[in-house]
Amino acid sequence: MFESAEIGHKTEKADYDEALPLLRTRLLDAQFDLLEQKGFAVVVLINGIDGAGKGETVNLLNAWMDPRHIEAWAFDVPSSEEAERPHMWRFWRALPPRGKVGILFGNWYTDPIRARMDRSSKRAELDQHLDAINRFEAMLVHEGVLLIKLWFHLSKKAQKLRLEALEGDPRTRWRVTDQDWRYYKLYERYREVAEHGLRRTSTGDAPWIIVDGTDPRYRALFVGRTLLDAIGRRLEAASGHWVTRQTSPPLPSVLDKRNYLNALDLDKPLGKKAYEEVLESLQGRLALLTRDEAFACRSLVLVFEGVDAAGKGGAIRRVTAAIDARRYRIIPIGAPSDEEQAKPYLWRFWRQLPRRGKVAIFDRSWYGRVLVERVEGLCSEADWMRAYAEINDFEDELVDAGAVVVKFWLAIDRDEQLARFKARESLPHKRFKITDEDWRNREKWDDYEQAVCDMIDRTSTETSPWTVVEANNKYFARIKVLRAICERLESALRY
Amino acid sequence: MFESAEIGHKTEKADYDEALPLLRTRLLDAQFDLLEQKGFAVVVLINGIDGAGKGETVNLLNAWMDPRHIEAWAFDVPSSEEAERPHMWRFWRALPPRGKVGILFGNWYTDPIRARMDRSSKRAELDQHLDAINRFEAMLVHEGVLLIKLWFHLSKKAQKLRLEALEGDPRTRWRVTDQDWRYYKLYERYREVAEHGLRRTSTGDAPWIIVDGTDPRYRALFVGRTLLDAIGRRLEAASGHWVTRQTSPPLPSVLDKRNYLNALDLDKPLGKKAYEEVLESLQGRLALLTRDEAFACRSLVLVFEGVDAAGKGGAIRRVTAAIDARRYRIIPIGAPSDEEQAKPYLWRFWRQLPRRGKVAIFDRSWYGRVLVERVEGLCSEADWMRAYAEINDFEDELVDAGAVVVKFWLAIDRDEQLARFKARESLPHKRFKITDEDWRNREKWDDYEQAVCDMIDRTSTETSPWTVVEANNKYFARIKVLRAICERLESALRY
């Protein structure tokens, strides 16, 4: 969930000062339209890590918007009024009416996550809580509430810097408590519990939106823009009858052109000679692993995704070279057949799942739903929004059944793709590999990049994480792929 | 869940023979239209108690419909192909394409329910399974599958008769195994586990439909009619663009005019003198109970529902006469205020929840959603269909927080209502109690009756069951109400 929020976004003061007046005007306009139309209520959930600017952001929103029609609630220790009624009573009290905005700061997520942090609840209990929350939120959405769930995040390093900065300033020293440092020490656990909780409750109708809390200006603009987009789009949907009644908040795009992919250094050095040596040893390792006794009760599912000419085929060949041909199958995924189109979209992948002791290599995969189908408009936004959770469930089932799922995004940059396209065109035996469609896809580069970042954020899970491969250098890419497979297999087979 | 299925429905042979040819023709027509339109797939789940006619019904459906476009799958012990892949793989294999019907006989419900029956899984594990099933089925529905979930039920007595009949006939003796009798001995446990499972997975999009398995002819017509209605309605929805894309299978109505309410004997004898004696002693019991120390950490939520003039007010007065006025509040529920209308429909009830040691008496309640709002079309079918699960969740939260929830349906018949209306009109001080609207509601008596039966079936839960009160005799009704409250309170306070 946190990949994109940990690369460090920043907004300069000059940019902030320039963007702010317009943002505030538009937020006020949206608030006024909302009040006029009275079609739906807006509930903003504010959650996340300490020190990531939750309080400051709520203060800003209060200052920016008309305070008569926005109400912020903080939930601390329950009052006696609250403690004597069902748990959810205090939150029902705080629900805004249609036409207004309610900010719920510390809410129905706080207790279940804290209980799991403190190990006073078990994983199954947390999951039961989260499922109850899902049912509750689905009800809110059905009742017409626009639910915007914001999670404020900091990397461990950023949290440390932030706590130290607060402590170092006499005016803010009081804000840092022992509890804060205690939680900081539990950072990894907190991140893991939070990630699980967010993933489980990030639904198509009410997805979590992660706010990078590092830079106050970036964070403020990001939250303001997210609210504005969500409210604006919903107002628009309500005024036209041709759109569905409910729309979830749109996934926000970055404000500073910096994203998870373009923050990577794609040119990793590796010479041919070194490559060949390492290749051979890794292929040997992989060959042994797939012939290992322990692998007979497991299976291996490999997913290769990447833009055209990213080197998927080449990488796959280096993998298969190490495996007995009776053991693996390569499944190239193109347009679905008639038969496949007549079934739910995951059916074509379920039918290809490997038995124990076997390897299935998907050359493109179910991620087409949130990549090409999203960008090309081949399915509705509601369809691809719910797909993140569906895909996570699908991969959970694979892992529960003993499969090792390794997913690769082969990342090349625009120039490298152009060079490869041109090279392909000039080689007679590769010319068939380049089509008009490839050139057309290239024009949508930015849309694809956004889709890839969202995909990595929302489907890189504890049990089946994405491996992003810097692939401008093919040698480096192939080695990284093989090494990742070997390492994941070794840890699964308990070497 | 099983209330309506245990009253014993029956279809005479002559009626069956008359209805069958038309039903078969229409089913074939629907199947053909489905195939032409290719808009959606139909998945029929067949589950339920042994001996309730699951197999016979599948055989009939196969015989009635065009076998080229309907496929029945039975899932027994997994094959090695199946066992070596994720649990759900076998069911994905069986999914029908758009335009066809698949009957899944023993399916994703079988293992979780059986594991809980055998106590090899815990309640929390069962719930996790059920939530995963809910997510899976939501995905199917989003992908356009029409999901018809049939649960074949028998009362304990009916199951015994059925097993004995099979055993007594040399031609069918082989069908009864020791396992069947073993399960019969566990009937109560099975009923409880099944009821919980059904309730948890009966969603607005994919509700369970309970089939009374007692009479083979009734059961056959009921299932055929249910399929026909569901497919027909969905075909119609798909051909008009003004309706939502998905429609859930409609809740079926009974075929033999016999329902849970009209199967009751509403005239229970109780004379005035006996009434007054018992009344006094029950009121004394209730007074002590609400002043009991143990009640200080609990609360009491009473729900009174019934048609106009059913005697709700009179019953409530006999209850409140026994309680300290500082302890209770009567909450009459009429049309919602502006403020209430601007929030999710349950908000107006949440705001009225009692603190510990207090009593809230709802004169009409949240059940308005599935009664008046359903019958008068004040909310959409999708809204009231999802309300059953939402209301169950709501009451679960009350119970979890220590509330004792006692719900009454005061049942009178049509004639009794008429007599009471006329009596009211002739009494000056009661004339205000009868309005034109009351007369109008009376005309929709049958619709209300169906809505009440569905409500009782779908919201009478282990923790907050309905008490249906035969109320033609007011004395009897008031006593039954008071006694039920005392008994529920006594068991909650552990007398």
Side-chain angles (χ1 to χ4, degrees), chain A residues 423-486:
Chain A
R424 282 183 176 184
E425 279 189 327
S426 66
L427 281 174
H429 73 279
K430 285 208 170 174
R431 196 177 285 167
F432 75 95
K433 287 181 81 175
I434 190 108
T435 65
D436 288 351
E437 210 189 314
D438 295 333
W439 289 102
R440 270 199 306 279
N441 287 344
R442 209 174 132 73
E443 285 163 26
K444 298 190 177 157
W445 188 277
D446 292 336
D447 294 338
Y448 273 103
E449 208 165 70
Q450 162 100 40
V452 172
C453 291
D454 288 338
M455 170 186 84
I456 292 171
D457 283 344
R458 286 168 195 280
T459 60
S460 206
T461 64
E462 310 103 281
T463 49
S464 46
W466 276 98
T467 303
V468 176
V469 181
E470 302 85 345
N472 274 1
N473 177 348
K474 286 184 182 184
Y475 297 148
F476 177 86
R478 292 168 189 168
I479 293 300
K480 183 162 178 180
V481 165
L482 272 162
R483 182 168 287 139
I485 299 172
C486 289

Side-chain angles (χ1 to χ4, degrees), chain A residues 64-80:
Chain A
W64 291 350
M65 293 172 85
D66 184 335
R68 290 169 304 171
H69 309 304
I70 187 169
E71 203 166 6
W73 293 71
F75 300 95
D76 207 333
V77 181
S79 71
S80 72

Side-chain angles (χ1 to χ4, degrees), chain B residues 266-433:
Chain B
L266 301 179
D267 292 295
K268 298 280 187 179
L270 187 70
K272 186 165 183 185
K273 199 156 164 237
Y275 160 69
E276 281 170 350
E277 271 170 33
V278 186
L279 179 71
E280 203 174 339
S281 98
L282 282 171
Q283 286 180 332
R285 242 165 102 186
L286 181 57
L288 284 177
L289 282 164
T290 53
R291 273 187 243 133
D292 190 286
E293 244 180 42
F295 186 64
C297 356
R298 308 298 293 267
S299 65
L300 178 62
V301 175
L302 302 179
V303 173
F304 288 86
E305 292 281 356
V307 296
D308 298 315
K312 295 186 292 292
I316 289 173
R317 274 195 301 279
R318 271 58 180 193
V319 172
T320 54
I323 311 177
D324 181 334
R326 282 161 298 190
R327 247 183 224 287
Y328 72 83
R329 288 207 315 121
I330 301 176
I331 301 130
I333 298 297
S337 69
D338 284 0
E339 204 187 334
E340 289 169 340
Q341 219 147 16
K343 313 252 182 156
Y345 73 101
L346 284 171
W347 184 79
R348 57 195 303 223
F349 309 107
W350 272 96
R351 67 193 298 208
Q352 304 286 8
L353 293 185
R355 299 183 67 154
R356 290 193 196 135
K358 306 276 180 184
V359 181
I361 302 172
F362 288 90
D363 184 351
R364 301 198 189 277
S365 68
W366 42 94
Y367 286 99
R369 186 75 163 189
V370 295
L371 296 173
V372 56
E373 291 191 51
R374 166 183 173 173
V375 174
E376 305 293 338
L378 302 177
C379 66
S380 72
E381 177 168 342
D383 287 333
W384 61 259
M385 281 292 290
R386 67 179 158 84
Y388 297 113
E390 290 164 356
I391 286 173
N392 286 336
D393 280 343
F394 170 53
E395 292 176 359
D396 279 352
E397 288 182 80
L398 297 185
V399 171
D400 284 347
V404 179
V405 181
V406 193
K407 309 182 294 196
F408 296 103
W409 176 261
L410 269 56
I412 58 174
D413 60 32
R414 231 183 272 235
D415 294 342
E416 179 64 25
Q417 190 191 41
L418 187 63
R420 292 188 186 180
F421 276 14
K422 289 201 169 143
R424 283 184 176 184
E425 280 188 325
S426 65
L427 281 173
H429 72 280
K430 284 207 171 177
R431 194 177 285 170
F432 74 94
K433 285 182 85 175

Side-chain angles (χ1 to χ4, degrees), chain A residues 116-349:
Chain A
R116 184 68 191 131
M117 269 293 287
D118 300 343
R119 298 184 195 273
S120 62
S121 77
K122 296 200 175 132
R123 172 70 167 258
E125 288 170 292
L126 173 64
D127 283 353
Q128 281 183 300
H129 258 120
L130 297 175
D131 282 320
I133 287 176
N134 277 337
R135 294 197 301 274
F136 172 71
E137 291 184 351
M139 183 272 297
L140 288 185
V141 169
H142 279 303
E143 289 289 310
V145 170
L146 173 63
L147 194 54
I148 305 174
K149 307 196 286 196
L150 301 177
W151 185 273
F152 287 69
H153 184 71
L154 286 177
S155 65
K156 186 166 188 185
K157 206 174 113 197
Q159 193 186 20
K160 189 167 183 222
L161 287 173
R162 167 85 173 154
L163 291 177
E164 284 171 351
L166 286 171
E167 245 181 4
D169 185 334
R171 287 166 306 175
T172 54
R173 188 177 300 155
W174 59 274
R175 289 181 50 191
V176 182
T177 62
D178 287 351
Q179 163 95 336
D180 289 337
W181 283 112
R182 201 169 62 82
Y183 268 68
Y184 168 74
K185 287 206 190 88
L186 296 170
Y187 184 92
E188 275 77 20
R189 176 161 175 80
Y190 190 74
R191 193 181 192 285
E192 189 197 309
V193 171
E195 182 154 37
H196 175 76
L198 296 189
R199 184 159 80 79
R200 194 65 178 249
T201 53
S202 210
T203 59
D205 289 329
W208 277 102
I209 291 163
I210 311 296
V211 182
D212 178 354
T214 323
D215 177 55
R217 285 189 291 262
Y218 182 85
R219 168 179 90 201
L221 288 188
F222 182 87
V223 170
R225 200 75 65 89
T226 300
L227 254 65
L228 180 64
D229 286 351
I231 298 174
R233 229 169 53 140
R234 180 66 175 271
L235 284 167
E236 207 181 301
S239 62
H241 291 285
W242 41 274
V243 276
T244 53
R245 206 182 62 179
Q246 286 122 16
T247 60
S248 58
L251 298 186
S253 46
V254 292
L255 303 179
D256 57 358
K257 307 271 174 221
R258 187 170 163 77
N259 65 35
Y260 184 70
L261 285 181
N262 66 25
L264 295 171
D265 171 15
L266 301 179
D267 293 296
K268 300 280 188 179
L270 186 70
K272 187 166 183 184
K273 201 157 165 233
Y275 160 71
E276 281 170 349
E277 272 170 35
V278 187
L279 180 70
E280 202 172 338
S281 99
L282 282 171
Q283 286 179 331
R285 243 166 101 184
L286 181 57
L288 285 177
L289 282 164
T290 54
R291 273 186 243 135
D292 190 286
E293 245 180 41
F295 186 65
C297 354
R298 308 298 292 267
S299 66
L300 177 62
V301 175
L302 302 178
V303 172
F304 287 87
E305 292 281 358
V307 296
D308 297 316
K312 297 187 290 293
I316 290 173
R317 275 194 301 280
R318 271 54 180 199
V319 172
T320 53
I323 312 178
D324 181 334
R326 282 161 298 190
R327 246 182 224 287
Y328 72 83
R329 287 207 315 120
I330 301 175
I331 301 130
I333 298 297
S337 70
D338 285 359
E339 203 187 336
E340 288 169 340
Q341 220 147 16
K343 313 251 181 157
Y345 74 100
L346 284 172
W347 183 80
R348 57 195 304 222
F349 308 107

